[in-house]
Amino acid sequence: MRSLLPAWSDWAPAVRAPGADLLAGLIVALVALPLALGFGISSGLGAAAGLATAVVAGALAAVFGGSRFQVSGPTGAMTVVLVPIVHQHGATGVLTVGLLAGVVLVVLAVAGVGRAVRYMPAPVIEGFTAGIAVVIALQQFPAALGVAHAEGDKVWQSAADAVRRFVDEPSYATPVTALVVAAVILIGGRFLPKVPFALVAVAIGTIVTAVVDLDLARIGTIPSGLPAPSLSFLHLGELGSLIGPALAVAALAALESLLSATAADSMCVGTRHNPDRELFGQGLANIAAPLFGGVPATGAIARTAVNVRSGARTRLAALIHAVLLAAIIYLAAPLVADIPVAALAGVLLATTVRMVETASLLAIARASRGDAIIMVVTFGVTVALDLVTAVAVGVGFAVVLALRSVAREARLEQVPLDESDHLAEEHDLLRDHIVAYRIDGPLFFAAAHRFLLELAEVTDVKVVIVRMSKVTALDTTGALVLKDAITKLEHRHITVLLSGLRADHRRRLAAVGALPVGGEDSIFANTREAIDHARRYIPMSHNL
């Protein structure tokens, strides 16, 4: 448990030099504000719920989470999951689901499940990151084009609808504002990386919009406070029906948060998050957020990327983002209300460009055709469908290709007998009537059939010795296929002996009835003993 709790080392660098984190937190807060409002509304619980999530969950995840750069809050992927829960169980059901999901995340953290993300293939992570960048960019199309209500279930569909509506009734002030803001951030950041061009561009865009009186959509009025914490939404009689949705929300929160933290690591040199602590922090955040009327939260890749690219050095930046959002709610709502939505869309468009590490994508594409396929498939499914499906499909492809590669390493080859201590007249007899085959590598479902069927076709011998000391893995499928080969050989009156069989492999073969008819008498510690047994007990003469 101690490794899951905050330490002074998390905050020492921030105390010594807080400037970069304070500035990054301010920029992230400005970017997170409209997203929190929008995702709160999209979830069905309202703008206040989105703000409560961004403040409460954002602060707790920053303090207790496992990543220095992770920024947490409501996300688009989570909104998709929450909408049907709202329709079926109402707002109180969503709050209960969030609380239960938080408890599940804490349990997963204590159990050490977070470390499983370390086994996520690099092509999946790179494809996911690039896909999320495109998704974020597509999400900005309606705001960047000045289209208020783009339609479409998928993000690419709503982006296409926004483009169509813009072409039908073009108005260039909004897209020009978004593109200018994005260009200022990208070009300025290239030559003067220390200057907060995102903040400068948003401020200038807001001032110009007010002075020239441009007809641009503003953020508008926001709630002026957070509700008092309460458990009034919790009804024990409903818990049974909400366990399933809570597990789904917990799975999505864990997956999205860990992948977001991993993507943040890839954007920085020498950075590595603690996955179990990240789950712990997200769990506490999701337990607390519903008490204030907030929706379930996850690590948010868009805000995390803005945080990293804005120069954040420690977790203080994410905490400042939450504190500033709270301050904005209580103190500066009128000022924020005048910020053009198009300017914030420009910030996110610039962020997506900087999220994509072209060098990493090209390196993986050149590494192997299999890795390139995994990356492209993950990218495509992320954009076309959703994050969870993309990761599942990407990992599925990676597993299949990995099994294919491992299966190719498995070999069956005939090996010469060690006859050094036999009399010369016995050599030909042994060679004519005893044959030894060695299995190298894993004997499992992906490799077994290919060469054990070949073994079953051995003819014109009296004894087959199967050398299994080099078998690295044996599953039930491999055991059953070996059983089939042995049965076919024995049906043709060929004696089968096994040598070098590991104890665990012997138990598996015995469990499925795959041992030769001789049972334990057909199993030998090494090939030398198997040959001696064949010479003593298998009738041989020049008349054979």
Side-chain angles (χ1 to χ4, degrees), residues 73-100:
T75 63
M78 184 61 74
T79 299
V80 174
V81 176
L82 295 180
V83 169
I85 299 176
V86 173
H87 290 161
Q88 187 172 357
H89 300 284
T92 58
V94 171
L95 299 179
T96 304
V97 163
L99 180 65
L100 294 175

Side-chain angles (χ1 to χ4, degrees), residues 316-405:
L316 176 63
L319 180 60
I320 290 297
H321 133 271
V323 171
L324 288 176
L325 284 178
I328 289 170
I329 293 172
Y330 287 103
L331 303 174
L335 294 177
V336 174
D338 290 330
I339 296 176
V341 175
L344 296 176
V347 173
L348 287 177
L349 288 173
T351 299
T352 61
V353 174
R354 300 168 72 177
M355 279 177 61
V356 179
E357 297 289 346
T358 307
S360 298
L361 296 178
L362 292 177
I364 289 177
R366 287 193 297 261
S368 73
R369 185 170 63 178
D371 287 344
I373 291 173
I374 294 169
M375 184 172 64
V376 170
V377 168
T378 305
F379 169 82
V381 178
T382 299
V383 175
L385 298 178
D386 59 76
L387 169 64
V388 176
T389 304
V391 172
V393 172
V395 171
F397 265 83
V399 169
V400 170
L401 292 177
L403 289 176
R404 181 169 172 262
S405 177

Side-chain angles (χ1 to χ4, degrees), residues 122-277:
V124 174
I125 294 174
E126 292 295 339
F128 154 78
T129 304
I132 286 295
V134 172
V135 169
I136 295 170
L138 292 174
Q139 286 176 339
Q140 308 317 307
F141 273 44
L145 296 175
V147 177
H149 302 289
E151 296 179 354
D153 295 331
K154 303 298 181 183
V155 64
W156 57 269
Q157 293 172 330
S158 61
D161 186 60
V163 172
R164 181 184 61 79
R165 294 183 182 221
F166 176 79
V167 171
D168 291 340
E169 299 181 14
S171 176
Y172 297 101
T174 301
V176 167
T177 300
L179 291 176
V180 168
V181 169
V184 168
I185 295 171
L186 293 174
I187 297 173
R190 182 177 181 84
F191 295 102
L192 297 171
K194 299 295 184 181
V195 177
F197 280 101
L199 181 59
V200 171
V202 169
I204 293 175
T206 303
I207 294 171
V208 170
T209 300
V211 171
V212 182
D213 194 23
L214 294 175
D215 184 20
L216 298 180
R218 270 61 161 198
I219 290 180
T221 304
I222 62 173
S224 58
L226 294 176
S230 171
L231 274 173
S232 60
F233 62 86
L234 188 62
H235 302 291
L236 298 180
E238 298 178 355
L239 293 183
S241 62
L242 295 174
I243 290 177
L247 293 175
V249 167
L252 177 59
L255 182 60
E256 191 170 9
S257 298
L258 292 176
L259 288 179
S260 176
T262 303
D265 290 348
S266 69
M267 291 184 238
C268 305
V269 178
T271 300
R272 190 178 184 88
H273 71 282
N274 182 329
D276 291 325
R277 184 175 168 187

Side-chain angles (χ1 to χ4, degrees), residues 65 106 226 237 261-262 279-280 349 352 364 376 414 451 457 470 473 525:
V106 170
L226 294 176
T262 303
L279 291 185
F280 185 71
L349 288 173
T352 61
I364 289 177
V376 170
Q414 185 176 349
F451 53 76
E457 299 303 319
K470 302 295 184 181

Side-chain angles (χ1 to χ4, degrees), residues 57-79:
L60 284 173
V63 173
F64 293 96
S67 171
R68 305 194 266 160
F69 304 112
Q70 184 88 287
V71 179
S72 300
T75 63
M78 184 61 74
T79 299

